[in-house]
Amino acid sequence: MSSPTPPPPSNTDRNLLFAVLALHAELIDNDQFAEACAAWTARRETPLADLLVERGWLSADDRREVERLLERKLKKHGGDVRASLGAVADAGVRDLLRAVGDEDVRKSLSSLPPAAGHVLVETVDVPPRESASRYSLVRLHAQGGLGRVYIAHDKDLNRDVALKEIKPEQAKHPEAWRRFLKEAQITGQLEHPNIVPVYEVSRRQEDDQPFYTMRLVRGQTLRDGLADYHRRRAAGQADPLELPRLLNAFVSVCQAIGFAHSRGVVHRDLKPDNVMLGDFGQVIVLDWGLAKMADEADDVYAPHVALTAEAQTDKTVPGSYIGSPAYMAPEQAAGRADSVDARTDVYGLGAILFEILTGRPPHQGQAGDEVLKSILEKDTPRTRAVLSSVPPALDAICAKAMAKERKTRYAKATELADDVQRFLAAEPASAWPEPWTAKARRWVGRHRVAVTSAALILVIAVPVLTVATILVNHEKIRAEQSAESANTERLRAEANFALAREAVEKYLTQVGQSRLLNQPGLQPLRRDLLSTAASFFQRFVESEQASTPEMQAEVGRAYGRWALLTGQIESRERAIELNRRAAGFFEKLVAEYPDNTQFRRDLTVTYNNLGNLLRSVHRLDEAEAVHAKALDLRRQLVADHPEDPLFCHDLAVTLHNFGGYFAAAHKYDEADKCLQESVQLFTQLRDQDPADPAPRHDLAEAYNSLGDLRRSWGSRSDAMGFFQKALDLREKLSDEHPDDLAYQRDLAASWNNIAVMHRSAGEFQEAAKYFDKSLRLREKLARDNPTVKQFSTDLAGAYRNHAESIRAGGHAAESLDWYRRAVDVLERVLKSEPEDREARLVLRNAYRGRAMALDAMKRSSEAVPDIERALRLDDGTRRATLQLELSLVLARSGAHARAVTEADAAAKESGLKSADHYDLACCYSLAAAAAERDEKLSTTLRAELVGKNAAKALEQLTRARDDGLFKTRGNVERVKKDADLEALRQRKDFKKLVQELETSK
């Protein structure tokens, strides 16, 4: 029999091919794919690609990339669209497309070649026969309340099957017949490897009673398997593979139930008795007699199970329960049939998992009612309370599946399966926030060689340095006792310390410089190791007398190392103090030995680190002086050794640091000059060794700093160019070193910078794309590394920046949630480290931004506490602005007397901008209006207050004019219409000012 000729390829094929390629490229997800295909069937004149872009799911670049993929696929298949679609449309994609429900899509699917891995079997017609004579009963296998199961022999296929029929005493009840047929039809339509297949539904000739046949699964029930396992476990005889096998079987059960939910079926009677374990790894879910048809399926993979009219049963009577009490969810136990859904089965799966882990059901009692009462009134038991050896992750997974509140459970059975699989794969489960020790164990398992090396170095470094410190002191004592051997003993002491320092430097390189332990979850371990190293240097500098230049230099370097470590793990102020001590040693050595290149370089390193620390705590004048010293020394070193890349790198670093200082001090020309020179030097170093990540990282930093600088100038195109160069370098570094958290953090910052630039240009779709990338990465870094406060601060800053963008776009109400997220994160950071300056300032800005949003929403009284919080967090750099803003929200909230007091204080501050003067004018005008309305005041006092505040308002408007605020027509129109200035409208001096502003235009 020949196959029908397939129809010619259609426009449908090409559109579907584009969508499938976008799905495989992970540019869209399953839900977006299905939604877009369905939308396209209603708008066929619009290319499906346009719909994806229109919804913001694909960018223009994404679309071009998919088009390139499409052309490559067509070229590979000789231009045949249908063959290309058939090659990429796997079974999962075809299931998604079948759910679209469009005739053209169905035709396109039906004409495709089979999906890879699928075998099509044609059915053949067979002559009808008397089905009763086909089976001969062998023996009774099992029975329940409604039916009984026999082992029967199928004569036609010469095999044993399971045959289920209604019990004779139930056969006279029509409802029993309906339930029996319902079970057969549901089971027969749930075609899944872990659900028992139904072969045939028929009726007996003699009494017309229904029966159906199923696969006969030889093996044991899960209950019997669990009893055997826990007997061996209690006796210490269990095979280590037994629990993983049982958990893998459990995953198969979850997948089967997840499939049933996708077809609109809830099992309602999940328990170990209804799971069969075959002799060769088969796992089969049985007994769908209590299954319920849900109103909606959980997925779109396949159509609902459909029942014939004769299989439709009456609904469960409210208040009655269905199922096995020991495994029931609370809604089942309470008889709330309308609340039973997929999450009810998730609870049942959790109850099975509970018995797998502990060897007993979760709920026990002398009678069913006692068990139901326990489920409803008592806390759900935890597995570790029954058996303490249960792994904490599995305990948490089980607890989430069996949560009393349905909304707290896993939403899908497949999510429960995923978490168990994560445990089996030694990956973190979503239900269990791992302690860092667990993450460390897993990371060590994957990086055993590297960790072993670091541990070995630690083992070597600790005793060597300890012994060396003792030896140094011991040799000094001996040297003091014997002048003749002084020189020999001194050399021996120095050699001992040199050996110890070399070991510790290698140890630090492994722990710190190579970021070996800078991995998710291992920061506490890294901190402890660095603290240990810091204590070594502290012990040395406190014991060393440094009688020779070389030993003085060693002490200086030890102070420098101690300072760097202290800055990372303790206090920047303490680190500054230690760096100054290091600088003192090298300043003295350079003065005494000006030709010693190593001493000169050591001094520049110390100056550079000290300058960075001073800048980080906003001591800019001191930072400038130190950076200037470092720059002079490093220029001289490059002049003396022009071919040495080390000195070239040092100079580039100092120029970059100096540029950052100048930018912070608003000295933009000097900043640009330094940064441009640093870019040239870093580029030279990058070109000398393109494979080395260090110069590429430094070059990206310099480009990023130039982008920040040009953005502050208002040069958008220049800023975007530099930011893009930094992003290109950082994306490559991140791809090459996916486990390096520093590179990941840099990448998130670059994506955020690009997003800000697109947003400032009004390109909101592109901005959203890059912001989403940055936000997801920052959330991951903060989630995976909760002990690293910098990641949390970065995330809060991203939340706050997004809130600012939304507010600036006129959507103040929508921005509030993002401000709240930022505040929540930062409050947690400051709870553990209350003096963290950066976190305090980001939190200050978040409170200020939220106050401005509330004020814009006419909720000024709610804005006041946030501005007050921002003032308490301020380090003095924004006090005048915050005080001014406080005065304005106070005035708008009705607290006019206090508003005027705050405004008077703000007006005395130096450095106010034109916009600040305008805000002060609004505050005084509102106070004047309030005095005019206050009937409690005497006529004289009212006139006095109105006149005084109005005069102050006019004075501030005049200053705003003198500072150039009204050079634009928009600001002139603003002063004419602003409701905050209503109290000034009828004043002659205000009218004169407005007339002058209009004339000047």
Side-chain angles (χ1 to χ4, degrees):
M1 179 177 179
S2 61
S3 300
T5 303
S10 65
N11 183 47
T12 300
D13 296 329
R14 187 178 183 95
N15 278 281
L16 293 182
L17 177 59
F18 181 94
V20 173
L21 290 173
L23 177 65
H24 284 333
E26 297 185 352
L27 297 171
I28 58 175
D29 58 28
N30 284 352
D31 291 340
Q32 293 167 336
F33 172 83
E35 183 179 334
C37 290
W40 175 78
T41 61
R43 295 174 55 186
R44 295 181 188 277
E45 73 284 355
T46 304
L48 203 153
D50 286 357
L51 293 179
L52 289 168
V53 173
E54 182 181 293
R55 281 165 165 73
W57 295 339
L58 289 186
S59 68
D61 288 342
D62 294 336
R63 176 179 181 165
R64 285 191 289 270
E65 178 61 28
V66 177
E67 291 286 4
R68 284 193 290 270
L69 289 173
L70 189 148
E71 293 303 324
R72 286 202 292 270
K73 285 292 180 186
L74 291 178
K75 184 177 180 180
K76 180 179 179 180
H77 293 91
D80 190 333
V81 179
R82 179 155 295 131
S84 301
L85 179 59
V88 299
D90 56 26
V93 166
R94 297 184 193 208
D95 285 342
L96 289 171
L97 289 173
R98 288 188 189 97
V100 172
D102 178 75
E103 186 61 30
D104 285 347
V105 173
R106 291 182 186 276
K107 287 179 180 178
S108 181
L109 279 176
S110 65
S111 65
L112 296 179
H118 284 241
V119 179
L120 302 182
V121 179
E122 288 191 4
T123 60
V124 294
D125 292 331
V126 295
R129 55 167 291 131
E130 297 296 330
S131 56
S133 63
R134 177 175 177 176
Y135 305 100
S136 59
L137 303 182
V138 177
R139 60 181 172 86
L140 182 66
H141 183 59
Q143 58 182 322
L146 176 65
R148 56 191 180 190
V149 180
Y150 288 90
I151 295 177
H153 187 72
D154 181 346
K155 300 173 184 177
D156 283 4
L157 296 176
N158 193 29
R159 65 178 179 180
D160 288 342
V161 297
L163 185 149
K164 186 169 185 176
E165 64 177 17
I166 300 179
K167 283 183 174 181
E169 62 269 25
Q170 296 284 350
K172 58 185 177 181
H173 301 297
E175 181 62 19
W177 278 53
R178 282 193 289 268
R179 284 179 57 195
F180 185 85
L181 288 176
K182 175 185 174 183
E183 177 183 1
Q185 291 183 14
I186 287 176
T187 310
Q189 293 179 60
L190 294 178
E191 298 177 49
H192 187 275
N194 300 115
I195 297 176
V196 62
V198 172
Y199 296 141
E200 180 185 34
V201 179
S202 187
R203 294 179 185 271
R204 291 200 314 224
Q205 278 186 316
E206 59 267 29
D207 54 11
D208 205 37
Q209 285 194 29
F211 70 89
Y212 64 90
T213 57
M214 305 169 286
R215 177 197 295 170
L216 177 62
V217 182
R218 301 187 187 276
Q220 61 179 173
T221 65
L222 178 59
R223 176 175 302 285
D224 292 336
L226 292 179
D228 291 343
Y229 162 67
H230 281 284
R231 275 196 300 271
R232 288 190 293 273
R233 179 194 57 76
Q237 299 170 351
D239 187 320
L241 294 178
E242 286 191 74
L243 180 59
R245 286 194 193 107
L246 289 169
L247 292 175
N248 277 311
F250 175 78
V251 168
S252 297
V253 175
C254 292
Q255 298 291 1
I257 298 303
F259 173 78
H261 293 164
S262 77
R263 301 293 307 278
V265 177
V266 180
H267 191 283
R268 290 202 296 182
D269 194 22
L270 290 169
K271 54 186 177 181
D273 304 87
N274 288 338
V275 177
M276 285 294 297
L277 304 178
D279 295 333
F280 297 93
Q282 308 100 309
V283 180
I284 301 295
V285 181
L286 305 170
D287 201 348
W288 295 81
L290 298 183
K292 169 188 174 182
M293 302 299 299
D295 294 332
E296 293 185 0
D298 293 338
D299 287 308
V300 296
Y301 295 146
H304 275 209
V305 166
L307 302 178
T308 61
E310 61 180 342
Q312 299 284 344
T313 60
D314 295 335
K315 293 185 177 180
T316 306
V317 177
S320 64
Y321 70 81
I322 284 182
S324 301
Y327 305 90
M328 275 187 183
E331 60 268 25
Q332 273 182 294
R336 300 197 305 271
D338 57 336
S339 298
V340 171
D341 61 8
R343 288 167 295 185
T344 305
D345 275 353
V346 168
Y347 188 101
L349 290 168
I352 292 175
L353 179 59
F354 189 103
E355 191 160 347
I356 290 173
L357 298 174
T358 66
R360 49 151 276 197
H363 305 294
Q364 296 179 312
Q366 297 298 319
D369 289 343
E370 183 179 339
V371 175
L372 297 178
K373 184 177 180 181
S374 173
I375 295 170
L376 294 172
E377 297 180 2
K378 295 182 180 179
D379 292 337
T380 304
R382 295 293 291 252
T383 60
R384 285 172 62 83
V386 177
L387 188 63
S388 61
S389 61
V390 173
L394 287 176
D395 177 69
I397 292 169
C398 190
K400 181 174 180 178
M402 295 178 63
K404 275 203 168 185
E405 292 293 329
R406 291 160 63 245
K407 64 183 179 181
T408 310
R409 300 172 202 157
Y410 293 96
K412 296 183 179 182
T414 50
E415 294 176 1
L416 170 56
D418 289 345
D419 251 1
V420 175
Q421 287 178 305
R422 289 188 187 100
F423 170 81
L424 289 168
E427 291 293 333
S430 67
W432 187 50
E434 290 181 310
W436 70 266
T437 51
K439 294 181 180 179
R441 283 194 297 271
R442 186 174 63 256
W443 190 89
V444 166
R446 294 174 180 168
H447 302 80
R448 195 170 300 280
V449 173
V451 172
T452 301
S453 300
L456 180 60
I457 290 170
L458 176 59
V459 169
I460 294 172
V462 172
V464 169
L465 185 53
T466 303
V467 171
T469 306
I470 295 171
L471 286 174
V472 169
N473 293 331
H474 179 62
E475 302 304 342
K476 285 181 180 178
I477 294 171
R478 290 183 60 185
E480 291 171 358
Q481 293 173 345
S482 175
E484 295 179 0
S485 60
N487 187 55
T488 301
E489 306 297 356
R490 187 190 71 247
L491 292 175
R492 183 182 301 171
E494 292 173 0
N496 282 329
F497 175 73
L499 174 63
R501 184 175 61 80
E502 181 181 359
V504 176
E505 290 293 339
K506 288 180 180 178
Y507 160 64
L508 282 174
T509 298
Q510 292 292 324
V511 174
Q513 298 303 310
S514 69
R515 304 183 179 97
L516 172 67
L517 297 178
N518 196 17
Q519 306 295 330
L522 294 189
Q523 280 68 34
L525 176 59
R526 182 175 186 272
R527 183 185 181 100
D528 289 344
L529 294 175
L530 294 180
S531 297
T532 302
S535 70
F536 292 159
F537 288 109
Q538 179 180 4
R539 287 166 58 192
F540 175 75
V541 299
E542 289 176 351
S543 64
E544 177 56 46
Q545 300 300 315
S547 57
T548 67
E550 289 74 16
M551 288 306 292
Q552 290 174 26
E554 291 292 2
V555 175
R557 293 180 194 117
Y559 267 117
R561 270 298 198 186
W562 186 11
L564 282 175
L565 297 170
T566 299
Q568 291 184 54
I569 61 180
E570 184 183 333
S571 160
R572 292 178 184 176
E573 292 292 346
R574 173 65 170 151
I576 288 172
E577 176 189 342
L578 294 171
N579 250 314
R580 289 198 187 281
R581 294 187 187 180
F585 276 90
F586 290 117
E587 285 169 344
K588 181 180 177 182
L589 287 168
V590 169
E592 295 180 5
Y593 306 95
D595 296 330
N596 188 307
T597 301
Q598 185 58 54
F599 292 166
R600 292 162 66 194
R601 182 175 185 271
D602 285 333
L603 181 56
T604 67
V605 169
T606 305
Y607 280 155
N608 189 71
N609 293 337
L610 178 57
N612 287 339
L613 282 166
L614 289 166
R615 193 173 125 213
S616 72
V617 296
H618 212 65
R619 291 158 64 174
L620 297 182
D621 290 342
E622 294 176 75
E624 179 181 10
V626 174
H627 279 313
K629 292 179 180 180
L631 185 60
D632 289 343
L633 284 168
R634 286 186 164 174
R635 284 195 186 283
Q636 188 58 52
L637 283 168
V638 170
D640 294 344
H641 307 277
E643 303 302 323
D644 193 325
L646 177 63
F647 295 128
C648 178
H649 173 267
D650 287 349
L651 177 58
V653 168
T654 298
L655 286 165
H656 181 252
N657 291 337
F658 218 176
Y661 157 74
F662 280 134
H666 306 295
K667 299 178 181 180
Y668 297 126
D669 289 337
E670 295 93 329
D672 190 64
K673 182 178 179 181
C674 287
L675 292 174
Q676 291 281 14
E677 189 176 353
S678 74
V679 164
Q680 293 174 6
L681 293 172
F682 283 134
T683 301
Q684 291 175 20
L685 293 166
R686 187 269 315 270
D687 293 343
Q688 289 172 11
D689 189 359
D692 185 357
R696 288 184 286 154
H697 169 266
D698 293 336
L699 181 57
E701 289 283 315
Y703 278 138
N704 195 69
S705 297
L706 272 171
D708 281 331
L709 183 66
R710 296 302 172 89
R711 179 169 58 188
S712 65
W713 281 357
S715 178
R716 181 185 178 279
S717 60
D718 284 351
M720 186 60 134
F722 287 126
F723 282 141
Q724 188 61 54
K725 289 180 178 180
L727 175 60
D728 292 343
L729 288 165
R730 286 173 170 177
E731 285 183 328
K732 290 178 181 176
L733 286 168
S734 178
D735 288 342
E736 294 170 11
H737 307 277
D739 291 331
D740 192 309
L741 300 185
Y743 291 150
Q744 298 297 315
R745 181 182 180 228
D746 290 344
L747 178 58
S750 275
W751 278 335
N752 187 74
N753 288 335
I754 297 292
V756 170
M757 297 308 298
H758 281 300
R759 184 184 69 198
S760 65
E763 299 164 351
F764 297 111
Q765 187 172 337
E766 284 296 294
K769 179 178 112 177
Y770 283 102
F771 176 76
D772 186 57
K773 287 183 177 182
S774 175
L775 185 60
R776 280 187 291 176
L777 180 52
R778 282 176 164 166
E779 286 178 330
K780 183 178 186 303
L781 288 171
R783 181 177 62 251
D784 292 347
N785 307 278
T787 61
V788 184
K789 63 180 179 57
Q790 187 60 63
F791 292 145
S792 296
T793 304
D794 289 346
L795 175 59
Y799 286 151
R800 179 250 173 189
N801 288 339
H802 191 50
E804 296 285 296
S805 175
I806 294 172
R807 179 167 65 87
H811 304 286
E814 294 177 25
S815 72
L816 293 180
D817 182 57
W818 291 95
Y819 282 123
R820 177 193 58 75
R821 296 186 196 189
V823 167
D824 289 347
V825 171
L826 291 164
E827 291 284 13
R828 288 196 296 271
V829 171
L830 290 176
K831 187 176 181 180
S832 61
E833 298 195 41
E835 299 306 316
D836 186 295
R837 181 178 180 274
E838 183 179 3
R840 289 174 64 87
L841 294 185
V842 177
L843 181 57
R844 174 200 68 185
N845 294 338
Y847 276 132
R848 175 184 177 272
R850 188 166 70 178
M852 296 300 98
L854 289 167
D855 188 49
M857 296 166 64
K858 311 299 183 186
R859 294 162 59 180
S860 301
S861 59
E862 297 176 58
V864 171
D866 273 352
I867 286 289
E868 291 174 333
R869 292 185 184 105
L871 269 166
R872 288 195 294 271
L873 290 163
D874 187 64
D875 61 350
T877 57
R878 299 291 296 274
R879 183 156 300 279
T881 300
L882 290 168
Q883 198 166 26
L884 186 155
E885 290 169 344
L886 175 61
S887 69
L888 192 55
V889 296
L890 284 167
R892 289 172 178 163
S893 66
H896 299 98
R898 185 183 168 198
V900 170
T901 300
E902 297 289 348
D904 288 345
K908 296 176 182 177
E909 297 288 340
S910 60
L912 294 180
K913 299 177 181 178
S914 58
D916 298 333
H917 291 300
Y918 184 88
D919 287 343
L920 283 169
C922 291
C923 177
Y924 287 130
S925 175
L926 289 167
E932 183 70 41
R933 295 190 302 269
D934 193 346
E935 296 180 356
K936 296 179 182 179
L937 299 175
S938 65
T939 303
T940 302
L941 181 56
R942 183 186 305 136
E944 180 183 346
L945 288 175
V946 169
K948 182 185 297 185
N949 286 319
K952 290 180 180 179
L954 263 297
E955 178 187 359
Q956 294 300 324
L957 284 174
T958 302
R959 291 188 179 183
R961 178 202 63 190
D962 295 343
D963 286 346
L965 181 64
F966 302 112
K967 290 181 179 179
T968 63
R969 170 59 62 183
N971 282 341
V972 174
E973 292 300 314
R974 178 185 175 192
V975 78
K976 291 166 60 178
K977 300 176 182 179
D978 196 332
D980 288 345
L981 300 177
E982 191 61 37
L984 309 180
R985 295 270 180 254
Q986 303 306 317
R987 291 179 62 92
K988 293 181 180 179
D989 45 6
F990 179 79
K991 292 180 178 179
K992 181 180 178 182
L993 175 63
V994 172
Q995 185 176 7
E996 290 175 356
L997 295 177
E998 290 184 316
T999 302
S1000 66
K1001 296 289 106 183

